[in-house]
Amino acid sequence: ISLCFSLLVTMVVPRCLRVSRHLIYPAVCMLVFTNLCWGQTAEDFETAALYSFSQARSPYYTFILAGNPPQKEAVFVDTTTSVLGFTCTDCSEVKCGRHLGKHFDPSISQTFQSLSCADIPDCSNCVDDRCLHLVKYSRKNILSGEFVRDQIYFDTNVGRTDGFDLNFVCISQEPKFLQWEQAEGTVGLNPTSTVIYQAYKNNPNINHNVFSLCLGHKGGYMNIGAGGLKEDLKDVKWINFSGPLYELNIETIMVDQERIDVSLNDDLENRVPYLDSGSPSVLLAYNLYDKVYREFTQFCNRHEKCPGRRLQSQLSECWVKPDDLPEPNFFLAFPSIRFEIAHDLEIVWAPKEYLSGFNGEQPSLYCLGFKKSFKTILGATFMKDQNIIFDTENKKLGFQYKTCRPPISEEEHDKVMNEIAFHQELKDEKNHVELEEKDDDSLWRTAFAVLATIIVTAIAMYVCYRRRMLDRTKIMLDGAVELQEREDDYDFNSYSRSVDQHSSM
């Protein structure tokens, strides 16, 4: 179209305006170049909205459509896993809890396909000719399911009407910590993942080796393909990564002006920290956490900063913002944390990013977004307010400071957030009931423990008393025997003397 239009301009305009064609050629060349560039980048990526009810409590997720007719499923965006999976109708509430939407029902999808082990490359867990997916977090926390195939649609801005056939995991059991979360599953986007590749490999305008995540305080977005070439990428800072995860070689951490050297020895596994969008918080290895927290506390005490009532919970340390203190001034009273990464990359972790709020739940409560763990993981709070570009083909990560907002209308966003809020109320109510049940169980266990202690103590005291009585009886018997022996000896000696006296007479 661009070439035809340009040729038409070249033929018609000179005759109408009676000017030389040589004067029109530069403008035509510029027009052709602009149209070609625009045609190349106009459809080079698609955008999906990301949601999060509370960055302090849950990671970010997006929606996909599965099957024909499509069924809407919410999936966490996870940069550490490699597969797409969500709960199916075989997963009961006992095994999978309750999520935002319904479990995927294969029976009503006209395009659903069961798969054999031969259909899954490198199937490592084949049972009855079904390829199973099994992840053990602990003895009781297990995620399991089987690989199946159906049409998948990403819920993007272009309003896709054509799905693509994709293998995914039909989950039949979830670990306890995933039950009653908003999302029904996860979409894995680590460097070995083929989800986006399989989705867009037949689309020549989509670079299926590149995607980007922009996580904000109230949602965000994910660009699929090209990482957002329409946007200004001049201020993007690039670094290389290696391995099966998006690793960042952190050299130093600065809390305000205090420098902390980071060593692999701080991590019990001696591994490089990595990005994990599926983790809401930043996890710091034990030694590193102690160093960062000590400098953070000294800043608050030394400068009389960090205002508000301080709360200590089992999960994190929190502050209640004074009502008369504006939020920007509240954040200014906390130190900035800087991560100096190899290849001259510095990422500033501002207080408004590491102090995770609870949105509408408790608007004045802010909690630290980093916790102690046995290894260092850079979770979603570390990734906030940045457009992070993942180039899996060239093994590069790009970082660009940006205000991230969902690419949807306020009405649509409010509708989704209301659904999330309702689900959160159900989850909190269930947790409250479970907590009461645990309290009741704890009361019974405590009473049983006290009763058992009393019984054991009574038995021990009785045994001690019996032993003492036996010992005393034995002593008395030994004394009596000794006394009897002495009396017998005395009688014998008296008898002997009497016999001797009688003989002498």
Side-chain angles (χ1 to χ4, degrees):
I1 296 174
S2 174
L3 290 175
C4 293
F5 180 75
S6 301
L7 291 175
L8 182 64
V9 170
T10 305
M11 296 174 61
V12 175
V13 172
R15 293 185 178 183
C16 294
L17 299 180
R18 295 181 180 181
V19 296
S20 175
R21 293 183 180 181
H22 298 287
L23 298 177
I24 303 298
Y25 286 155
V28 171
C29 291
M30 183 63 68
L31 179 64
V32 172
F33 177 77
T34 302
N35 280 307
L36 287 177
C37 291
W38 175 255
Q40 183 180 1
T41 61
E43 297 179 351
D44 60 357
F45 67 94
E46 297 180 4
T47 302
L50 300 179
Y51 305 90
S52 180
F53 181 68
S54 169
Q55 294 84 40
R57 300 173 61 175
S58 63
Y60 293 77
Y61 63 90
T62 187
F63 289 104
I64 63 169
L65 302 174
N68 184 18
Q71 303 174 48
K72 197 170 187 178
E73 306 292 337
V75 289
F76 287 127
V77 177
D78 188 358
T79 55
T80 63
T81 58
S82 60
V83 299
L84 170 66
F86 42 85
T87 57
C88 294
T89 49
D90 291 340
C91 200
S92 63
E93 186 171 317
V94 176
K95 292 184 177 181
C96 288
R98 188 185 302 176
H99 303 281
L100 270 179
K102 297 180 179 179
H103 300 319
F104 175 72
D105 189 354
S107 64
I108 64 176
S109 175
Q110 301 175 4
T111 52
F112 177 82
Q113 303 176 49
S114 298
L115 299 178
S116 64
C117 294
D119 297 323
I120 306 298
D122 302 326
C123 178
S124 58
N125 191 5
C126 184
V127 178
D128 297 332
D129 201 25
R130 296 181 306 154
C131 188
L132 303 184
H133 180 71
L134 182 65
V135 180
K136 289 186 177 181
Y137 298 94
S138 64
R139 187 172 61 88
K140 294 184 178 180
N141 282 320
I142 299 174
L143 185 146
S144 63
E146 67 172 294
F147 282 94
V148 295
R149 181 180 297 165
D150 208 333
Q151 288 190 354
I152 300 295
Y153 311 72
F154 275 103
D155 191 14
T156 61
N157 58 319
V158 298
R160 299 185 64 85
T161 58
D162 57 328
F164 48 89
D165 290 334
L166 183 68
N167 299 341
F168 63 92
V169 177
C170 209
I171 298 175
S172 57
Q173 180 178 353
E174 285 185 316
K176 292 291 185 182
F177 62 86
L178 287 181
Q179 297 181 9
W180 290 82
E181 288 291 347
Q182 288 96 348
E184 287 83 42
T186 60
V187 52
L189 298 175
N190 74 9
T192 64
S193 172
T194 61
V195 174
I196 292 180
Y197 170 78
Q198 294 293 333
Y200 295 94
K201 64 180 180 180
N202 296 325
N203 189 336
N205 295 325
I206 297 291
N207 185 350
H208 48 69
N209 295 309
V210 180
F211 69 95
S212 67
L213 297 177
C214 199
L215 309 183
H217 293 266
K218 294 183 178 180
Y221 61 86
M222 174 176 66
N223 281 341
I224 303 173
L229 287 179
K230 280 186 178 180
E231 304 180 29
D232 186 9
L233 301 181
K234 294 180 181 178
D235 57 344
V236 175
K237 298 179 181 179
W238 296 91
I239 63 169
N240 298 323
F241 70 88
S242 60
L245 297 172
Y246 302 108
E247 297 178 341
L248 297 181
N249 188 12
I250 301 174
E251 296 179 343
T252 59
I253 297 178
M254 294 190 64
V255 181
D256 193 37
Q257 301 299 322
E258 301 297 328
R259 181 181 297 271
I260 301 171
D261 292 327
V262 179
S263 171
L264 286 179
N265 295 329
D266 293 328
D267 194 319
L268 296 182
E269 295 185 350
N270 290 328
R271 70 174 304 156
V272 178
Y274 55 89
L275 294 176
D276 182 7
S277 61
S279 175
S281 303
V282 168
L283 304 180
L284 298 178
Y286 293 111
N287 295 336
L288 184 58
Y289 175 87
D290 292 338
K291 298 175 185 177
V292 173
Y293 184 75
R294 180 173 61 250
E295 296 298 339
F296 181 89
T297 304
Q298 288 180 358
F299 174 89
C300 294
N301 297 336
R302 183 169 58 246
H303 299 281
E304 296 183 354
K305 295 293 186 75
C306 310
R309 185 161 55 93
R310 200 166 180 172
L311 302 176
Q312 184 72 41
S313 66
Q314 295 179 350
L315 299 178
S316 181
E317 189 167 0
C318 307
W319 281 262
V320 179
K321 183 182 72 67
D323 295 335
D324 58 346
L325 183 64
E327 189 176 63
N329 296 343
F330 174 73
F331 288 137
L332 288 174
F334 288 83
S336 293
I337 301 177
R338 291 176 172 82
F339 292 81
E340 296 182 358
I341 302 172
H343 309 294
D344 299 326
L345 174 63
E346 180 184 79
I347 296 179
V348 179
W349 206 22
K352 68 175 182 177
E353 295 158 5
Y354 69 72
L355 288 175
S356 301
F358 286 82
N359 292 349
E361 299 173 273
Q362 303 177 58
S364 297
L365 183 64
Y366 297 86
C367 297
L368 283 181
F370 58 90
K371 304 173 184 178
K372 182 181 292 189
S373 179
F374 64 93
K375 60 182 176 181
T376 299
I377 299 175
L378 305 175
T381 54
F382 177 84
M383 302 169 64
K384 281 195 301 187
D385 288 338
Q386 297 184 85
N387 182 37
I388 302 180
I389 305 170
F390 300 81
D391 187 345
T392 58
E393 182 178 19
N394 298 309
K395 299 288 184 179
K396 288 186 176 182
L397 291 173
F399 293 84
Q400 178 188 41
Y401 290 107
K402 193 173 185 63
T403 301
C404 305
R405 297 187 179 91
I408 56 177
S409 64
E410 293 186 4
E411 293 78 8
E412 187 176 355
H413 181 266
D414 292 342
K415 179 181 178 181
V416 175
M417 294 307 293
N418 289 334
E419 294 177 357
I420 298 173
F422 176 73
H423 177 269
Q424 189 65 42
E425 290 178 1
L426 294 177
K427 178 181 176 182
D428 291 340
E429 182 180 352
K430 179 180 181 296
N431 291 338
H432 180 69
V433 171
E434 288 182 349
L435 185 61
E436 289 181 347
E437 292 176 351
K438 288 181 179 179
D439 290 342
D440 293 339
D441 292 341
S442 299
L443 181 61
W444 282 108
R445 284 196 297 269
T446 303
F448 178 77
V450 171
L451 181 60
T453 303
I454 293 175
I455 294 174
V456 171
T457 303
I459 293 174
M461 292 178 64
Y462 176 75
V463 171
C464 291
Y465 171 75
R466 291 292 300 173
R467 290 189 62 180
R468 290 184 63 182
M469 292 299 295
L470 290 173
D471 292 342
R472 182 176 298 179
T473 303
K474 183 178 179 183
I475 292 173
M476 291 177 64
L477 290 174
D478 292 342
V481 170
E482 183 179 0
L483 181 61
Q484 184 66 38
E485 290 178 350
R486 288 180 180 180
E487 289 179 353
D488 292 344
D489 291 343
Y490 177 78
D491 293 340
F492 178 76
N493 292 333
S494 299
Y495 174 75
S496 298
R497 284 196 300 269
S498 63
V499 170
D500 291 341
Q501 289 177 1
H502 182 72
S503 299
S504 62
M505 292 177 61

